[in-house]
Amino acid sequence: MPVAKPEQKSAQYADHNREERGRGFVYARPERTTLFRRYVGGPGRRVLDLGCRDGALSVAYLDGNEVVGVDVDREALAHAEARGLTTEWADLDEPLAFEDGSFDVVVAGELLEHIRSPQQLIYESRRVLRPGGTLVGSTPNGFRLKNRLRFAAGRHPEPDPTHLHLFRPDDVREFLRSFEQPELHFVAGRFVPLNARLFANVIVFSGRKPR
């Protein structure tokens, strides 16, 4: 299939976000808010928030920090800017337009599954991090029991048409190979305490760029 141009992506995601999520929606808000705020830290951090949408989650770590939000959805970015973010419109399938080592933290929340080359985005995130800087993000737990049952029933395991990839926990760990202190958290799901890998809807991950 032809690759959509950035302006086409902007319109597509604006329509999708309005219809499926709505302004201010944050998937797994309680768990992601707690973990992202912990890993971002601050005050005084310069944070690059990739795929920030309308900034609804970004406000959790905005106070005292400089947050630069990047997204392909122009409509969402306007709301993010109104929340206090500095915003940049960009297609995140392309290299990041920031200098090496220019951020203390890179956030990539619910983004990797939307990108044609997630490993390239991880590489770019590492490049723009300062030595000792933190990458924190999240992605759906692609092989959770719910998805396996959909597949067994002859349905697509991931109903969101904007998702290009499904990730296992081991895939996420592989993304963090070049980072120190990699951590995975399995969150969002009533039965997570019984079996996190099977029942968690979301994997939150983090790692530090070597000094």
Side-chain angles (χ1 to χ4, degrees), residues 90-98 120 124 127:
D91 181 352
L92 291 171
D93 277 311
E94 301 297 328
L96 299 176
F98 300 100
Q120 177 67 20
E124 282 290 290
R127 178 183 66 78

Side-chain angles (χ1 to χ4, degrees), residues 158-172:
E158 178 48 71
D160 189 330
T162 66
H163 287 192
L164 305 181
H165 306 278
L166 295 173
F167 299 120
R168 303 168 301 162
D170 288 348
D171 298 325
V172 180

Side-chain angles (χ1 to χ4, degrees), residues 83-102:
R83 294 180 191 271
L85 279 70
T86 301
T87 60
E88 294 282 345
W89 178 74
D91 181 352
L92 291 171
D93 277 311
E94 301 297 328
L96 299 176
F98 300 100
E99 295 182 359
D100 295 1
S102 52

Side-chain angles (χ1 to χ4, degrees), residues 41-205:
R45 300 292 181 89
R46 188 164 191 249
V47 182
L48 179 61
D49 196 338
L50 301 174
C52 67
R53 292 189 63 237
D54 63 5
L57 180 60
S58 313
V59 295
Y61 39 86
L62 179 61
D63 188 28
N65 294 318
E66 177 192 357
V67 180
V68 179
V70 182
D71 205 283
V72 75
D73 181 348
R74 291 187 186 275
E75 184 177 305
L77 281 180
H79 296 294
E81 190 167 346
R83 294 180 191 271
L85 279 70
T86 301
T87 60
E88 294 282 345
W89 178 74
D91 181 352
L92 291 171
D93 277 311
E94 301 297 328
L96 299 176
F98 300 100
E99 295 182 359
D100 295 1
S102 52
F103 290 92
D104 300 297
V105 182
V106 173
V107 175
E110 304 300 291
L111 175 63
L112 296 181
E113 63 276 12
H114 298 273
I115 301 298
R116 292 197 308 271
S117 178
Q119 186 60 65
Q120 177 67 20
L121 186 73
I122 295 292
Y123 171 82
E124 282 290 290
S125 299
R126 189 179 186 279
R127 178 183 66 78
V128 302
L129 276 172
R130 293 168 180 157
T134 299
L135 170 67
V136 57
S138 62
T139 190
N141 182 14
F143 290 81
R144 60 193 183 274
L145 183 60
K146 185 188 302 183
N147 284 13
R148 297 183 189 195
L149 293 175
R150 286 194 186 108
F151 183 79
R155 299 160 56 196
H156 196 289
E158 178 48 71
D160 189 330
T162 66
H163 287 192
L164 305 181
H165 306 278
L166 295 173
F167 299 120
R168 303 168 301 162
D170 288 348
D171 298 325
V172 180
R173 290 191 186 280
E174 183 67 18
F175 289 141
L176 300 174
R177 278 183 59 188
S178 63
F179 289 82
E180 297 177 343
Q181 303 174 25
E183 295 185 5
L184 267 59
H185 300 269
F186 297 88
V187 302
R190 287 183 297 171
F191 300 111
V192 170
L194 298 179
N195 188 314
R197 286 173 175 260
L198 275 183
F199 293 113
N201 288 303
V202 175
I203 303 170
V204 175
F205 58 88

